[in-house]
Amino acid sequence: MSSLTIPTATLPSNQSYSSHAQALRNDLISYVEGLAQQGDYLKIPLGFGLKAYFVNDAEAVQEILLKQAKKVEKPGNVKRVAKGVFGENLFTSDGELWQQLRSTLQPAFQAKRLNAQVEMMVDTTESAIASWKIGQVVDLSAAMMDLTLGITTQALFGQDLRHTPAADSLLSFLDLFSELISSFPIPLWIPTPKHLAIKHHFRVMNSYFRTWVAERKRSSQDGDDVLSMLVQAQQADASGRLSDQQICNEVSNLFAAGYEVVAHTLAFSCYLLTQYPDVEARLREELDRVLGDPSKTAARSGRPITAADLPQLSYLERVIKESMRLLPVTTVLSRQVIEEIQLPGGYTLPKGSLVLISPWTLQRRSDYFPDPLQFNPDRFQNPDNIPKFAYLPFSAGPRVCIGNLLAMMQMKVNLAILLQQYRFSIAPNYQFKPIYRFNTRPQGGLPVVIEERSRQGATTIN
Ligand code: HEM
Protein backbone atom coordinates (compact mmCIF):
# COMPACT_ATOMS: atom_id res chain seq x y z
CA MET A 1 0.00 0.00 0.00
CA SER A 2 1.38 3.46 -0.87
CA SER A 3 2.07 5.64 2.08
CA LEU A 4 2.03 9.42 2.47
CA THR A 5 5.40 11.05 3.06
CA ILE A 6 5.78 12.42 6.55
CA PRO A 7 7.30 15.93 6.38
CA THR A 8 10.64 16.55 8.08
CA ALA A 9 10.61 18.87 11.09
CA THR A 10 12.71 22.01 11.05
CA LEU A 11 14.44 23.38 14.12
CA PRO A 12 12.28 26.13 15.64
CA SER A 13 13.93 29.39 14.47
CA ASN A 14 13.66 31.09 17.88
CA GLN A 15 15.97 28.48 19.43
CA SER A 16 19.72 28.65 19.37
CA TYR A 17 20.37 24.91 19.13
CA SER A 18 22.38 23.54 16.26
CA SER A 19 20.69 20.13 16.07
CA HIS A 20 17.42 18.40 16.94
CA ALA A 21 19.22 16.08 19.35
CA GLN A 22 20.62 19.07 21.24
CA ALA A 23 17.29 20.94 21.33
CA LEU A 24 15.49 17.82 22.51
CA ARG A 25 18.01 17.18 25.27
CA ASN A 26 18.34 20.75 26.50
CA ASP A 27 14.77 22.06 26.43
CA LEU A 28 12.32 19.27 25.75
CA ILE A 29 9.19 21.31 26.47
CA SER A 30 10.00 24.14 24.03
CA TYR A 31 11.21 21.59 21.52
CA VAL A 32 7.95 19.57 21.42
CA GLU A 33 5.91 22.79 21.44
CA GLY A 34 7.91 23.86 18.37
CA LEU A 35 7.21 20.53 16.68
CA ALA A 36 3.47 20.66 17.45
CA GLN A 37 3.28 24.02 15.64
CA GLN A 38 4.67 22.39 12.49
CA GLY A 39 2.23 19.49 12.17
CA ASP A 40 0.69 16.33 13.61
CA TYR A 41 3.09 13.92 11.91
CA LEU A 42 6.77 14.83 11.57
CA LYS A 43 10.02 13.07 10.84
CA ILE A 44 12.73 14.19 13.27
CA PRO A 45 16.27 14.32 11.86
CA LEU A 46 17.95 13.20 15.08
CA GLY A 47 21.11 12.01 13.34
CA PHE A 48 23.15 8.94 14.45
CA GLY A 49 21.26 6.93 11.78
CA LEU A 50 18.08 7.06 13.90
CA LYS A 51 14.67 7.18 12.23
CA ALA A 52 12.46 9.15 14.57
CA TYR A 53 8.90 10.47 14.31
CA PHE A 54 6.70 12.84 16.28
CA VAL A 55 3.00 11.96 16.33
CA ASN A 56 0.56 14.49 17.77
CA ASP A 57 -2.80 13.12 16.73
CA ALA A 58 -5.09 11.32 19.21
CA GLU A 59 -6.41 8.77 16.71
CA ALA A 60 -2.87 7.82 15.66
CA VAL A 61 -1.80 7.65 19.31
CA GLN A 62 -4.64 5.20 19.97
CA GLU A 63 -3.27 2.99 17.18
CA ILE A 64 0.25 3.06 18.66
CA LEU A 65 -0.61 2.66 22.35
CA LEU A 66 -3.64 0.39 22.05
CA LYS A 67 -4.76 -1.06 18.73
CA GLN A 68 -1.28 -1.89 17.41
CA ALA A 69 0.46 -1.92 20.80
CA LYS A 70 2.03 -5.34 19.99
CA LYS A 71 4.07 -3.62 17.27
CA VAL A 72 5.92 -1.33 19.67
CA GLU A 73 8.32 -1.78 22.58
CA LYS A 74 10.13 0.40 25.06
CA PRO A 75 13.06 2.03 23.20
CA GLY A 76 16.40 0.23 23.22
CA ASN A 77 18.39 3.00 24.94
CA VAL A 78 15.89 3.27 27.83
CA LYS A 79 15.86 -0.51 28.23
CA ARG A 80 19.65 -0.77 28.11
CA VAL A 81 20.24 1.81 30.84
CA ALA A 82 17.29 0.78 33.00
CA LYS A 83 17.97 -2.95 32.68
CA GLY A 84 21.67 -2.41 33.22
CA VAL A 85 21.09 -0.76 36.56
CA PHE A 86 17.78 -2.25 37.85
CA GLY A 87 17.81 -5.60 36.14
CA GLU A 88 14.73 -6.79 34.24
CA ASN A 89 11.51 -5.26 35.58
CA LEU A 90 7.98 -4.19 34.66
CA PHE A 91 9.07 -0.85 33.19
CA THR A 92 11.82 -2.26 30.96
CA SER A 93 10.33 -5.58 29.89
CA ASP A 94 8.16 -6.33 26.86
CA GLY A 95 6.11 -9.24 25.52
CA GLU A 96 5.43 -12.32 27.62
CA LEU A 97 7.72 -11.37 30.50
CA TRP A 98 6.00 -7.99 30.82
CA GLN A 99 2.59 -9.70 30.87
CA GLN A 100 3.68 -12.07 33.64
CA LEU A 101 5.15 -9.27 35.74
CA ARG A 102 2.14 -7.03 35.20
CA SER A 103 -0.32 -9.70 36.36
CA THR A 104 1.84 -10.45 39.41
CA LEU A 105 2.06 -6.79 40.43
CA GLN A 106 -1.45 -5.65 39.49
CA PRO A 107 -3.23 -6.98 42.62
CA ALA A 108 -1.05 -4.75 44.82
CA PHE A 109 -2.54 -1.69 43.12
CA GLN A 110 -6.23 -2.55 43.37
CA ALA A 111 -8.49 0.02 45.02
CA LYS A 112 -9.54 -2.34 47.85
CA ARG A 113 -5.96 -2.94 48.89
CA LEU A 114 -4.96 0.70 48.49
CA ASN A 115 -7.79 1.91 50.76
CA ALA A 116 -5.86 0.38 53.66
CA GLN A 117 -3.13 2.99 53.02
CA VAL A 118 -5.33 6.08 53.45
CA GLU A 119 -4.89 6.33 57.22
CA MET A 120 -1.10 6.17 56.85
CA MET A 121 -1.30 8.91 54.17
CA VAL A 122 -3.38 11.13 56.46
CA ASP A 123 -1.05 10.70 59.46
CA THR A 124 2.07 11.29 57.38
CA THR A 125 0.61 14.43 55.76
CA GLU A 126 -0.66 15.90 59.02
CA SER A 127 2.66 15.42 60.78
CA ALA A 128 4.62 16.81 57.79
CA ILE A 129 2.75 20.11 57.84
CA ALA A 130 2.12 20.44 61.58
CA SER A 131 5.20 22.62 62.15
CA TRP A 132 4.40 25.15 59.41
CA LYS A 133 3.92 28.67 60.78
CA ILE A 134 1.66 31.38 59.39
CA GLY A 135 3.79 33.86 57.40
CA GLN A 136 6.60 31.33 56.87
CA VAL A 137 7.93 30.79 53.33
CA VAL A 138 7.98 27.09 52.44
CA ASP A 139 9.37 25.51 49.28
CA LEU A 140 6.25 23.50 48.50
CA SER A 141 8.05 21.52 45.85
CA ALA A 142 10.69 20.29 48.33
CA ALA A 143 7.99 19.74 50.99
CA MET A 144 5.98 17.56 48.57
CA MET A 145 9.12 15.57 47.71
CA ASP A 146 9.74 14.89 51.39
CA LEU A 147 6.09 14.02 52.08
CA THR A 148 5.92 11.74 49.04
CA LEU A 149 9.14 10.04 50.06
CA GLY A 150 7.51 9.22 53.41
CA ILE A 151 4.28 7.98 51.85
CA THR A 152 5.82 6.07 48.92
CA THR A 153 8.31 4.22 51.12
CA GLN A 154 5.55 3.22 53.54
CA ALA A 155 3.26 2.11 50.69
CA LEU A 156 6.03 0.11 49.03
CA PHE A 157 8.25 -1.08 51.89
CA GLY A 158 6.02 -0.70 54.97
CA GLN A 159 8.36 1.81 56.64
CA ASP A 160 8.95 5.54 56.50
CA LEU A 161 12.50 5.83 55.23
CA ARG A 162 12.83 9.60 55.46
CA HIS A 163 16.14 10.68 57.02
CA THR A 164 17.58 7.16 56.98
CA PRO A 165 20.73 5.84 55.25
CA ALA A 166 18.47 3.60 53.13
CA ALA A 167 16.70 6.69 51.72
CA ASP A 168 20.07 8.35 51.05
CA SER A 169 21.12 5.43 48.89
CA LEU A 170 17.72 5.26 47.13
CA LEU A 171 17.80 8.98 46.31
CA SER A 172 21.46 9.00 45.21
CA PHE A 173 20.67 6.06 42.97
CA LEU A 174 17.62 7.78 41.50
CA ASP A 175 19.51 11.05 40.85
CA LEU A 176 22.22 9.24 38.95
CA PHE A 177 19.71 7.12 37.07
CA SER A 178 17.79 10.23 35.90
CA GLU A 179 21.07 11.77 34.76
CA LEU A 180 22.18 8.68 32.87
CA ILE A 181 18.88 8.13 31.08
CA SER A 182 18.75 11.76 29.91
CA SER A 183 22.37 11.98 28.73
CA PHE A 184 24.33 10.64 25.78
CA PRO A 185 24.25 6.81 26.03
CA ILE A 186 27.63 5.36 27.00
CA PRO A 187 27.61 1.55 27.48
CA LEU A 188 27.30 0.73 31.17
CA TRP A 189 30.23 -1.67 31.16
CA ILE A 190 32.60 1.28 30.59
CA PRO A 191 33.72 2.15 34.14
CA THR A 192 33.01 5.90 34.12
CA PRO A 193 32.80 7.50 37.61
CA LYS A 194 28.99 7.80 37.21
CA HIS A 195 28.62 4.16 36.18
CA LEU A 196 30.70 3.01 39.12
CA ALA A 197 28.72 5.24 41.48
CA ILE A 198 25.30 4.06 40.28
CA LYS A 199 26.34 0.41 40.57
CA HIS A 200 27.58 1.09 44.10
CA HIS A 201 24.29 2.77 45.11
CA PHE A 202 22.30 -0.07 43.55
CA ARG A 203 24.30 -2.66 45.54
CA VAL A 204 23.68 -0.76 48.80
CA MET A 205 19.98 -0.26 48.01
CA ASN A 206 19.62 -3.87 46.95
CA SER A 207 21.13 -5.14 50.19
CA TYR A 208 18.41 -3.26 52.13
CA PHE A 209 15.73 -4.82 49.92
CA ARG A 210 17.18 -8.33 50.33
CA THR A 211 17.14 -7.88 54.11
CA TRP A 212 13.51 -6.72 54.08
CA VAL A 213 12.45 -9.60 51.81
CA ALA A 214 14.13 -12.06 54.21
CA GLU A 215 12.37 -10.42 57.19
CA ARG A 216 8.97 -10.66 55.47
CA LYS A 217 9.56 -14.36 54.84
CA ARG A 218 10.41 -14.98 58.49
CA SER A 219 7.45 -12.97 59.75
CA SER A 220 4.04 -14.61 59.94
CA GLN A 221 2.21 -11.27 59.53
CA ASP A 222 0.90 -10.13 56.15
CA GLY A 223 1.55 -6.42 55.65
CA ASP A 224 -0.40 -4.10 53.34
CA ASP A 225 2.73 -2.82 51.61
CA VAL A 226 3.74 -3.85 48.09
CA LEU A 227 6.89 -5.67 49.20
CA SER A 228 4.86 -7.91 51.55
CA MET A 229 2.34 -8.54 48.81
CA LEU A 230 5.10 -9.63 46.41
CA VAL A 231 6.57 -11.97 49.01
CA GLN A 232 3.09 -13.50 49.47
CA ALA A 233 2.75 -13.82 45.68
CA GLN A 234 6.14 -15.56 45.54
CA GLN A 235 5.11 -18.03 48.22
CA ALA A 236 1.83 -18.78 46.42
CA ASP A 237 3.53 -19.33 43.04
CA ALA A 238 5.00 -22.79 42.63
CA SER A 239 6.71 -21.91 39.31
CA GLY A 240 9.55 -20.09 41.10
CA ARG A 241 9.49 -17.30 38.48
CA LEU A 242 9.37 -14.54 41.08
CA SER A 243 12.81 -14.77 42.65
CA ASP A 244 13.96 -12.65 45.62
CA GLN A 245 16.06 -10.58 43.22
CA GLN A 246 13.08 -10.04 40.92
CA ILE A 247 11.10 -8.69 43.89
CA CYS A 248 13.98 -6.29 44.66
CA ASN A 249 14.13 -5.19 41.02
CA GLU A 250 10.40 -4.49 41.01
CA VAL A 251 10.27 -2.47 44.20
CA SER A 252 13.27 -0.34 43.24
CA ASN A 253 11.66 0.28 39.86
CA LEU A 254 8.30 1.14 41.45
CA PHE A 255 10.04 3.60 43.72
CA ALA A 256 11.84 5.22 40.77
CA ALA A 257 8.64 5.36 38.69
CA GLY A 258 6.32 6.64 41.40
CA TYR A 259 8.13 8.93 43.81
CA GLU A 260 9.07 12.18 42.04
CA VAL A 261 6.12 12.29 39.63
CA VAL A 262 3.57 12.42 42.45
CA ALA A 263 5.50 15.18 44.25
CA HIS A 264 5.79 17.35 41.12
CA THR A 265 2.13 16.85 40.23
CA LEU A 266 1.16 18.00 43.74
CA ALA A 267 3.38 21.08 43.42
CA PHE A 268 1.81 21.91 40.05
CA SER A 269 -1.73 21.51 41.45
CA CYS A 270 -0.92 23.83 44.36
CA TYR A 271 0.60 26.39 41.99
CA LEU A 272 -2.47 26.38 39.74
CA LEU A 273 -4.78 26.80 42.74
CA THR A 274 -2.88 29.94 43.78
CA GLN A 275 -3.48 31.35 40.28
CA TYR A 276 -7.20 30.52 40.11
CA PRO A 277 -8.91 31.73 43.32
CA ASP A 278 -12.37 30.84 42.01
CA VAL A 279 -11.31 27.19 41.53
CA GLU A 280 -9.69 27.19 44.96
CA ALA A 281 -12.85 28.60 46.56
CA ARG A 282 -15.02 25.92 44.95
CA LEU A 283 -12.64 23.24 46.09
CA ARG A 284 -12.71 24.54 49.68
CA GLU A 285 -16.48 24.58 49.52
CA GLU A 286 -16.52 20.91 48.53
CA LEU A 287 -14.02 19.97 51.25
CA ASP A 288 -16.05 21.81 53.89
CA ARG A 289 -19.27 20.18 52.72
CA VAL A 290 -17.80 16.67 52.84
CA LEU A 291 -15.33 16.94 55.74
CA GLY A 292 -16.90 19.65 57.90
CA ASP A 293 -16.75 23.44 57.84
CA PRO A 294 -14.33 24.78 60.51
CA SER A 295 -16.16 28.16 60.60
CA LYS A 296 -19.13 26.36 62.14
CA THR A 297 -17.14 24.51 64.80
CA ALA A 298 -14.38 25.20 67.30
CA ALA A 299 -12.00 22.98 65.33
CA ARG A 300 -9.14 24.42 63.27
CA SER A 301 -10.10 22.32 60.29
CA GLY A 302 -12.70 19.73 59.31
CA ARG A 303 -12.34 16.06 60.24
CA PRO A 304 -9.57 13.93 58.72
CA ILE A 305 -10.35 12.48 55.32
CA THR A 306 -11.08 8.73 55.07
CA ALA A 307 -11.20 6.29 52.15
CA ALA A 308 -15.01 6.50 52.22
CA ASP A 309 -14.85 10.27 51.52
CA LEU A 310 -12.82 9.94 48.35
CA PRO A 311 -15.66 9.17 45.90
CA GLN A 312 -17.57 12.22 47.18
CA LEU A 313 -14.72 14.62 46.42
CA SER A 314 -15.43 14.85 42.71
CA TYR A 315 -14.31 18.45 42.25
CA LEU A 316 -10.99 17.61 43.93
CA GLU A 317 -10.55 14.81 41.40
CA ARG A 318 -11.33 17.19 38.53
CA VAL A 319 -8.81 19.73 39.87
CA ILE A 320 -6.06 17.10 39.90
CA LYS A 321 -7.00 15.81 36.45
CA GLU A 322 -6.96 19.32 35.01
CA SER A 323 -3.56 20.03 36.66
CA MET A 324 -2.21 16.92 34.95
CA ARG A 325 -3.66 18.09 31.64
CA LEU A 326 -2.09 21.53 31.73
CA LEU A 327 1.15 20.52 33.44
CA PRO A 328 1.77 16.78 32.87
CA VAL A 329 5.00 15.58 34.47
CA THR A 330 5.62 13.08 31.65
CA THR A 331 6.40 15.37 28.72
CA VAL A 332 7.12 12.62 26.19
CA LEU A 333 6.38 8.90 25.83
CA SER A 334 8.72 7.06 23.48
CA ARG A 335 8.33 3.74 21.68
CA GLN A 336 10.43 1.66 19.30
CA VAL A 337 8.50 0.27 16.31
CA ILE A 338 9.23 -3.46 15.95
CA GLU A 339 6.77 -4.07 13.11
CA GLU A 340 5.60 -1.51 10.54
CA ILE A 341 2.56 0.49 11.68
CA GLN A 342 -0.08 1.93 9.35
CA LEU A 343 -1.68 5.06 10.76
CA PRO A 344 -4.95 6.79 9.87
CA GLY A 345 -4.57 9.25 7.02
CA GLY A 346 -2.20 6.95 5.12
CA TYR A 347 1.00 7.46 7.12
CA THR A 348 3.42 4.63 7.92
CA LEU A 349 5.85 4.25 10.79
CA PRO A 350 8.66 1.97 9.56
CA LYS A 351 10.06 -0.94 11.52
CA GLY A 352 13.02 0.14 13.65
CA SER A 353 11.90 3.74 14.02
CA LEU A 354 11.44 5.64 17.27
CA VAL A 355 8.10 7.38 17.95
CA LEU A 356 7.67 10.31 20.29
CA ILE A 357 4.21 11.05 21.68
CA SER A 358 3.85 14.12 23.85
CA PRO A 359 1.09 14.35 26.48
CA TRP A 360 2.19 17.99 26.88
CA THR A 361 1.37 18.99 23.29
CA LEU A 362 -1.65 16.68 22.83
CA GLN A 363 -3.25 18.02 25.99
CA ARG A 364 -2.78 21.60 24.78
CA ARG A 365 -4.42 21.15 21.39
CA SER A 366 -7.28 23.64 21.16
CA ASP A 367 -9.43 21.30 19.05
CA TYR A 368 -9.27 18.66 21.81
CA PHE A 369 -9.35 21.05 24.78
CA PRO A 370 -10.97 24.40 23.93
CA ASP A 371 -9.17 27.39 25.46
CA PRO A 372 -6.34 25.00 26.37
CA LEU A 373 -4.23 27.34 28.50
CA GLN A 374 -7.12 27.97 30.92
CA PHE A 375 -7.16 25.89 34.10
CA ASN A 376 -10.75 24.67 33.97
CA PRO A 377 -11.48 21.52 36.02
CA ASP A 378 -15.05 21.43 34.68
CA ARG A 379 -13.74 20.04 31.40
CA PHE A 380 -13.67 16.71 33.22
CA GLN A 381 -17.30 16.90 34.39
CA ASN A 382 -18.42 14.97 31.35
CA PRO A 383 -15.89 12.30 30.29
CA ASP A 384 -17.41 12.33 26.78
CA ASN A 385 -15.87 15.79 26.29
CA ILE A 386 -12.35 14.34 26.47
CA PRO A 387 -11.32 12.83 23.13
CA LYS A 388 -9.95 9.29 23.48
CA PHE A 389 -6.15 9.18 23.70
CA ALA A 390 -5.82 12.97 23.81
CA TYR A 391 -5.44 12.90 27.58
CA LEU A 392 -2.42 10.81 28.62
CA PRO A 393 -0.92 11.88 31.99
CA PHE A 394 -0.72 8.19 32.98
CA SER A 395 -0.34 7.02 29.37
CA ALA A 396 -3.07 4.63 28.12
CA GLY A 397 -3.56 1.17 26.69
CA PRO A 398 -2.00 -1.96 28.17
CA ARG A 399 1.04 -0.06 29.50
CA VAL A 400 -1.00 2.51 31.37
CA CYS A 401 0.66 3.53 34.66
CA ILE A 402 0.18 0.72 37.17
CA GLY A 403 0.34 3.20 40.07
CA ASN A 404 -2.36 5.59 38.82
CA LEU A 405 -4.94 4.72 41.51
CA LEU A 406 -2.33 4.92 44.26
CA ALA A 407 -1.11 8.27 42.93
CA MET A 408 -4.64 9.73 42.64
CA MET A 409 -5.48 8.53 46.13
CA GLN A 410 -2.35 10.06 47.64
CA MET A 411 -2.77 13.36 45.81
CA LYS A 412 -6.41 13.68 46.90
CA VAL A 413 -5.51 13.01 50.54
CA ASN A 414 -2.55 15.40 50.47
CA LEU A 415 -4.38 18.26 48.77
CA ALA A 416 -7.47 17.88 50.96
CA ILE A 417 -5.37 18.16 54.13
CA LEU A 418 -3.21 21.03 52.85
CA LEU A 419 -6.29 23.06 51.91
CA GLN A 420 -8.22 22.17 55.05
CA GLN A 421 -5.43 23.69 57.10
CA TYR A 422 -3.77 26.46 55.11
CA ARG A 423 -3.90 28.86 52.22
CA PHE A 424 -0.87 29.56 50.02
CA SER A 425 0.31 32.56 48.07
CA ILE A 426 3.31 32.59 45.76
CA ALA A 427 6.38 34.15 47.40
CA PRO A 428 7.31 37.63 46.09
CA ASN A 429 9.63 37.74 43.05
CA TYR A 430 9.08 34.08 42.19
CA GLN A 431 8.65 33.41 38.49
CA PHE A 432 6.97 30.07 37.76
CA LYS A 433 8.51 28.02 34.95
CA PRO A 434 8.09 24.29 34.34
CA ILE A 435 11.31 22.59 33.25
CA TYR A 436 12.06 19.07 32.14
CA ARG A 437 14.68 17.14 34.11
CA PHE A 438 13.84 13.45 33.55
CA ASN A 439 10.29 14.55 34.30
CA THR A 440 8.69 17.99 34.42
CA ARG A 441 8.91 20.04 37.60
CA PRO A 442 8.81 23.69 38.73
CA GLN A 443 12.18 25.36 38.10
CA GLY A 444 13.75 26.55 41.34
CA GLY A 445 11.12 24.81 43.49
CA LEU A 446 7.85 26.46 44.50
CA PRO A 447 8.27 29.01 47.32
CA VAL A 448 4.92 29.92 48.90
CA VAL A 449 3.87 32.00 51.89
CA ILE A 450 1.79 29.99 54.37
CA GLU A 451 -1.40 31.82 55.25
CA GLU A 452 -4.20 31.28 57.73
CA ARG A 453 -7.05 29.38 56.22
CA SER A 454 -10.05 31.70 56.30
CA ARG A 455 -12.38 30.92 59.24
CA GLN A 456 -15.28 32.30 57.19
CA GLY A 457 -15.71 29.12 55.20
CA ALA A 458 -15.37 29.09 51.46
CA THR A 459 -16.77 31.67 49.12
CA THR A 460 -19.69 30.31 47.15
CA ILE A 461 -19.32 30.63 43.42
CA ASN A 462 -22.61 31.22 41.62
C1 HEM B 1 1.15 11.50 39.34
C2 HEM B 1 1.76 10.35 39.41
C3 HEM B 1 2.18 9.50 38.25
C4 HEM B 1 2.24 9.80 36.92
C5 HEM B 1 1.89 11.12 36.25
C6 HEM B 1 2.69 8.60 36.23
C7 HEM B 1 2.85 8.51 34.86
C8 HEM B 1 3.18 7.33 34.20
C9 HEM B 1 3.26 7.20 32.77
C10 HEM B 1 3.01 8.32 31.77
C11 HEM B 1 3.61 5.92 32.49
C12 HEM B 1 3.84 5.30 31.11
C13 HEM B 1 5.30 5.40 30.76
C14 HEM B 1 5.62 4.76 29.43
O1 HEM B 1 4.91 3.84 29.01
O2 HEM B 1 6.60 5.15 28.81
C15 HEM B 1 3.76 5.23 33.75
C16 HEM B 1 4.10 3.92 33.87
C17 HEM B 1 4.39 3.32 35.07
N1 HEM B 1 4.19 3.86 36.33
FE1 HEM B 1 3.44 5.69 36.74
N2 HEM B 1 2.91 7.61 37.16
C18 HEM B 1 2.59 8.11 38.40
C19 HEM B 1 2.65 7.43 39.60
C20 HEM B 1 3.12 6.15 39.75
C21 HEM B 1 3.20 5.44 41.01
C22 HEM B 1 2.76 6.00 42.36
C23 HEM B 1 3.76 4.22 40.75
C24 HEM B 1 4.08 3.08 41.66
C25 HEM B 1 4.34 3.18 42.93
C26 HEM B 1 4.00 4.16 39.30
C27 HEM B 1 4.55 3.08 38.64
C28 HEM B 1 4.60 2.95 37.26
C29 HEM B 1 5.11 1.76 36.58
C30 HEM B 1 5.70 0.52 37.23
C31 HEM B 1 4.95 1.99 35.21
C32 HEM B 1 5.28 1.02 34.08
C33 HEM B 1 4.04 0.19 33.80
C34 HEM B 1 4.22 -0.81 32.65
O3 HEM B 1 5.03 -0.56 31.76
O4 HEM B 1 3.47 -1.80 32.67
N3 HEM B 1 3.59 5.34 38.74
N4 HEM B 1 3.48 6.11 34.78
Side-chain angles (χ1 to χ4, degrees), residues 9 54-55 70 141 158 164 203 224 246 288 367 389 406 436:
F54 173 72
V55 174
K70 288 211 162 95
S141 193
T164 65
R203 272 196 302 276
D224 291 318
Q246 191 61 47
D288 288 348
D367 48 349
F389 286 77
L406 173 64
Y436 178 83

Side-chain angles (χ1 to χ4, degrees), residues 74 91 98 102 257-258 261 265 330 333 335 393-395 399 401:
K74 287 289 172 81
F91 206 88
W98 169 78
R102 182 95 191 191
V261 279
T265 304
T330 307
L333 298 164
R335 291 291 185 270
F394 291 114
S395 187
R399 299 212 63 152
C401 173

